[in-house]
Amino acid sequence: MVAIKEIKRHETHAVTVGNVTVGGGAPVVVQSMTNTDTADVDKTFEQVKNLFLAGSEIVRVTVNNDEAAIGVAKLRERLNKEGLAVPMVGCFHYNGHTLLNDHPELASSLDKYRINPGNVGFGKKRDTQFEQMIEKAIEYKKAVRIGVNWGSLDQALALKMMDENAKRDTPWPSDAVMRETLVQSALISAQQAENIGLPKNKIILSAKVSRVQDLIAVYQALAERSNYALHVGLTEAGMASKGIIATALGEGILLQQGIGDTIRASLTPEPNGDRTLEVKVCQEILQSLNIRSFMPEVSACPGCGRTTSTFFQELAQDIQRYLEVKMPVWKSQYTGVESMKVAVMGCIVNGPGESKHADIGISLPGTGESPVAPVFIDGKKAHTLRGEKIAQDFQKLVEEYVERRYG
């Protein structure tokens, strides 16, 4: 028997962020971040709303000045008024201690504070300002993500690590020193937060890099050395297919190893592009690994010389769009519908077989084949469609199947 190895999750402490649980065996959480000026409450509200409705279970916003701090409180008020229970994370750099102290409504409106140990402060001020932020988290009972980034490493720690490395009989490569610095920065800062009084079940760690192999190595080390909840993401992943592929590889390998409690796809959007793409990428990574289900899955033929017509491509596209439109309604009516498998195939070679493996599938005629399309339901041939309304007829059959099976 050929068996698939069950994914054994890395055991971590459960952290509550708003109404969402991260870690502790809870489902892996999808996260995203706005790219609007947080002081512009209208634009930020629309983007947070769109990300949340697309499936982002936690949304992070930039808090970089007084105007943004005031905007967060207004944003929370508006979200509550619209009935949108969106857990919000404030992303702080350099002046977070000041903003949290000067704006109590900011401190209370956020569900989690993101602190970068490399950007909290410099010299003697670093520990004091870090402590001030942790104390605010304790006061308001908020979670904290200690988010280390290789683009903004703690310089004092980095210099110390390089000096120690220079004294080794066989010095490590510079990349290895960088990775170890990232890991130690996260763990040292987490221990410092605990010493101040923040409990482990309020701490999430992340260590962001932009290369896949570095990402895997760093998170494997964090998982080996701690039980903090882990937020996984490839920072500055890039645009389009490059960013998607790199993110899917890095996060997918770690998730397969059971590492990661919340994930994000940090994709560079195209001008005026759809920010929700990063949410869809995360959902598809989790669904492809059979970790979570978000949408009925459509298997579609890639096409070859047997399928010179574009009809099956158009049908596959129509079915995908149809499912995306129907899912908001179906989710509230039909338990389990997100795990449904649909097949849209293009010829007789693999069409019937693939359709039998799906919950409901259609095998369209290829070039020169008889102009009929058998439909298979639960592994058995149930209908044969003909004519110019095959797409509409198949959608109707899908609708009937959903009502019958999941109703």
Side-chain angles (χ1 to χ4, degrees):
M1 180 180 71
V2 178
I4 295 175
K5 185 178 179 181
E6 183 181 355
I7 298 174
K8 185 178 180 181
R9 294 282 299 281
H10 169 56
E11 293 183 6
T12 59
H13 295 281
V15 181
T16 300
V17 182
N19 58 2
V20 172
T21 300
V22 175
V28 179
V29 173
V30 174
Q31 185 169 320
S32 59
M33 184 177 183
T34 60
N35 62 353
T36 55
D37 180 355
T38 311
D40 188 334
V41 178
D42 289 340
K43 285 186 178 179
T44 305
F45 170 79
E46 286 303 319
Q47 193 167 93
V48 170
K49 178 181 177 181
N50 289 339
L51 289 168
F52 181 66
L53 294 178
S56 180
E57 292 153 309
I58 297 175
V59 179
R60 183 158 55 115
V61 299
T62 298
V63 190
N64 57 334
N65 53 38
D66 291 307
E67 292 75 20
I70 294 168
V72 167
K74 292 180 179 178
L75 179 60
R76 169 58 71 199
E77 184 180 345
R78 189 164 171 187
L79 288 167
N80 289 345
K81 188 177 180 180
E82 294 284 334
L84 299 171
V86 186
M88 276 202 304
V89 182
C91 190
F92 296 100
H93 297 277
Y94 309 112
N95 59 352
H97 61 292
T98 301
L99 295 173
L100 287 168
N101 184 65
D102 292 350
H103 300 278
E105 68 280 6
L106 164 69
S108 62
S109 294
L110 294 169
D111 297 290
K112 183 172 72 173
Y113 308 158
R114 191 269 185 159
I115 304 174
N116 183 342
N119 288 341
V120 171
F122 304 99
K124 295 180 180 179
K125 292 182 178 180
R126 179 198 176 280
D127 288 346
T128 301
Q129 292 172 183
F130 180 83
E131 184 173 350
Q132 289 172 355
M133 295 186 73
I134 296 300
E135 286 176 342
K136 285 298 177 185
I138 295 169
E139 178 184 351
Y140 288 93
K141 296 180 173 59
K142 303 298 183 180
V144 170
R145 170 154 75 96
I146 295 174
V148 185
N149 194 302
W150 76 339
S152 50
L153 269 173
D154 180 342
Q155 290 305 301
L157 180 60
L159 288 171
K160 177 177 176 288
M161 294 290 294
M162 286 190 285
D163 288 342
E164 290 177 359
N165 187 56
K167 296 174 183 176
R168 289 189 174 94
D169 293 336
T170 305
W172 295 353
S174 58
D175 283 354
V177 178
M178 179 274 297
R179 290 191 290 269
E180 181 63 22
T181 304
L182 279 166
V183 173
Q184 289 205 22
S185 178
L187 294 177
I188 290 170
S189 297
Q191 186 58 61
Q192 185 180 358
E194 284 194 65
N195 293 342
I196 296 167
L198 189 69
K200 277 187 175 179
N201 65 359
K202 291 290 185 183
I203 299 173
I204 297 173
L205 298 186
S206 70
K208 295 294 194 72
V209 296
S210 58
R211 296 192 304 229
V212 171
Q213 294 291 2
D214 291 321
L215 182 83
I216 295 167
V218 166
Y219 276 92
Q220 286 174 335
L222 284 173
E224 287 173 3
R225 300 185 204 179
S226 77
N227 291 110
Y228 295 108
L230 298 176
H231 170 72
V232 177
L234 197 70
T235 192
E236 291 100 32
M239 297 182 72
S241 60
K242 184 268 179 188
I244 293 171
I245 291 169
T247 297
L249 280 170
E251 294 182 3
I253 289 170
L254 288 169
L255 290 166
Q256 183 67 19
Q257 295 174 357
I259 299 171
D261 300 295
T262 172
I263 63 171
R264 182 193 170 199
S266 300
L267 304 177
T268 304
E270 296 180 1
N272 301 313
D274 187 354
R275 190 70 168 178
T276 62
L277 175 62
E278 64 178 52
V279 179
K280 295 174 184 175
V281 168
C282 287
Q283 290 179 330
E284 288 175 10
I285 290 170
L286 293 171
Q287 185 146 341
S288 295
L289 290 170
N290 201 29
I291 292 173
R292 290 185 66 183
S293 294
F294 300 93
M295 275 281 298
E297 190 175 302
V298 179
S299 299
C301 170
C304 67
R306 290 176 174 269
T307 56
T308 53
S309 167
T310 60
F311 182 71
F312 84 92
Q313 297 168 350
E314 293 166 356
L315 178 58
Q317 186 179 59
D318 288 345
I319 287 295
Q320 187 71 51
R321 288 174 178 167
Y322 166 76
L323 294 173
E324 289 173 359
V325 169
K326 298 295 291 188
M327 269 307 290
V329 177
W330 284 352
K331 276 197 299 186
S332 63
Q333 295 180 343
Y334 305 115
T335 302
V337 67
E338 66 277 1
S339 63
M340 181 174 65
K341 304 291 188 294
V342 181
V344 180
M345 303 302 295
C347 78
I348 198 172
V349 175
N350 290 319
E354 286 284 355
S355 297
K356 288 177 183 177
H357 289 311
D359 293 309
I360 180 168
I362 185 169
S363 178
L364 296 164
T367 305
E369 295 178 16
S370 179
V372 296
V375 174
F376 296 82
I377 297 177
D378 294 331
K380 298 179 180 179
K381 184 178 176 181
H383 303 274
T384 300
L385 302 182
R386 297 178 175 83
E388 297 179 357
K389 293 185 177 181
I390 288 179
Q392 296 94 317
D393 292 342
F394 184 62
Q395 287 181 12
K396 184 178 179 182
L397 290 174
V398 172
E399 183 87 37
E400 291 172 355
Y401 180 79
V402 168
E403 291 176 358
R404 183 174 67 255
R405 177 170 176 180
Y406 301 101

